[in-house]
Amino acid sequence: DPNEDTEWNEILRDFGILPPKEEPKDEIEEMVLRLQKEAEKPYERMNLTELKEAEEDFDEADREAVEMYRQQRLQEWKCLQRRQKYGELREICGEQYVKEVTHAPEDVWVIIHLYRSSIPMCLLVNEHLSQLARKFPEAKFVKAIVNSCIQNYHDTCLPTILVYKTGEIKGRFIGVAECGGIYLKVEELEWKLAEVGAIETDLEENPKKDTINMMTLSMQNTSAHENTTTKSTDVLKPHIT
């Protein structure tokens, strides 16, 4: 008996003469799998087209659930379309501004960077926005040389980052300081865009928080030192009556 559990059969299995011994199936596991399969609704495996074609086959009790799945599949499809459409920092010119930014789809956030290539901070922002465009493909990231959009724009206002939704400006960062400073990190820019709602970040706190805290502590220490120095000086002053 090839299925008999004997030492000879084990030797034959080691040499490949007999096939590996079949492990007994767990009856409880089989029952769970069977129940899961029976509980699974057919519409859970359907795409949008299949849901539409089978619409009349569902009973009244399933119609509400079917509609829920239809909306879910629709959102997944829209997300896929956006991911195929965006995902990079694209260059536009002033003539494309209205079409690409102001008239963008109402459910799409648009981040546009007005820059000048002769300004190092602008190049840094472009580098960071390119990374964020790949990380958040559902948002639309574009850049434009400032002269093509606005004539005589002051260099002190660059870089300029504008955030649009439904044709309106929802956020703006104008100049080096507002954009985050010359040592701006990509995580800091990500946090800024998340604060105005343009993207959904997975960062748990402001990456610049530690820097801000260190600056505050430094200012406090400086202030305390000045107060101590002042008091010491007052002690040394002659008492004039």
Side-chain angles (χ1 to χ4, degrees):
D1 183 0
N3 293 319
E4 190 176 355
D5 204 6
T6 64
E7 185 178 351
W8 176 246
N9 280 352
E10 288 298 326
I11 295 173
L12 294 178
R13 290 190 187 98
D14 290 339
F15 281 96
I17 298 173
L18 287 180
K21 184 180 177 182
E22 293 185 4
E23 295 293 333
K25 294 184 179 179
D26 190 331
E27 293 183 4
I28 296 178
E29 183 181 353
E30 283 188 343
M31 182 178 67
V32 170
L33 291 174
R34 187 174 66 255
L35 290 174
Q36 287 178 343
K37 188 174 182 180
E38 292 173 355
E40 187 180 46
K41 300 292 184 180
Y43 52 76
E44 294 179 357
R45 302 187 302 272
M46 294 182 177
N47 57 33
L48 283 172
T49 304
E50 291 169 338
L51 283 172
K52 183 65 177 176
E53 292 175 351
E55 187 174 6
E56 296 181 357
D57 298 335
F58 299 120
D59 56 34
E60 197 64 33
D62 282 336
R63 290 190 185 280
E64 184 176 344
V66 169
E67 182 58 29
M68 180 188 71
Y69 275 97
R70 190 200 309 279
Q71 293 301 322
Q72 181 180 333
R73 296 292 182 268
L74 185 59
Q75 290 302 318
E76 290 172 356
W77 178 81
K78 286 182 177 180
C79 183
L80 178 62
Q81 291 299 307
R82 288 181 196 155
R83 287 178 178 272
Q84 292 174 341
K85 187 173 183 179
Y86 306 122
E88 64 177 348
L89 177 64
R90 294 195 301 111
E91 181 90 35
I92 66 170
C93 62
E95 295 176 354
Q96 298 171 295
Y97 198 103
V98 173
K99 177 185 176 182
E100 297 288 345
V101 180
T102 311
H103 288 171
E106 292 187 356
D107 61 339
V108 174
W109 285 88
V110 182
I111 298 96
I112 179 167
H113 175 213
L114 301 178
Y115 76 100
R116 207 186 306 279
S117 57
S118 59
I119 299 177
M121 179 68 181
C122 289
L123 300 180
L124 178 63
V125 169
N126 275 341
E127 182 180 332
H128 290 344
L129 289 178
S130 292
Q131 293 184 46
L132 294 176
R134 292 191 294 271
K135 184 176 180 179
F136 302 98
E138 68 278 3
K140 187 176 185 179
F141 288 81
V142 294
K143 61 181 179 178
I145 295 176
V146 67
N147 287 349
S148 70
C149 302
I150 308 172
Q151 294 297 320
N152 303 318
Y153 197 68
H154 293 293
D155 284 0
T156 54
C157 296
L158 296 175
T160 291
I161 301 173
L162 302 176
V163 181
Y164 279 81
K165 179 77 180 295
T166 62
E168 298 179 359
I169 295 179
K170 302 296 183 180
R172 66 186 78 199
F173 307 99
I174 300 174
V176 174
E178 286 192 14
C179 286
I182 59 174
Y183 300 109
L184 176 69
K185 296 180 180 179
V186 65
E187 293 84 6
E188 296 168 3
L189 184 54
E190 178 178 334
W191 187 267
K192 284 179 175 292
L193 296 178
E195 282 188 315
V196 298
I199 57 177
E200 293 184 7
T201 181
D202 53 4
L203 298 174
E204 295 182 356
E205 61 179 11
N206 187 350
K208 198 140 187 167
K209 182 179 178 181
D210 292 338
T211 305
I212 295 172
N213 289 342
M214 288 296 293
M215 290 175 62
T216 303
L217 181 61
S218 177
M219 292 173 64
Q220 289 174 347
N221 289 340
T222 302
S223 177
H225 176 72
E226 289 175 350
N227 290 339
T228 303
T229 304
T230 302
K231 289 178 181 178
S232 300
T233 306
D234 290 341
V235 171
L236 295 174
K237 285 180 181 179
H239 183 64
I240 300 174
T241 56

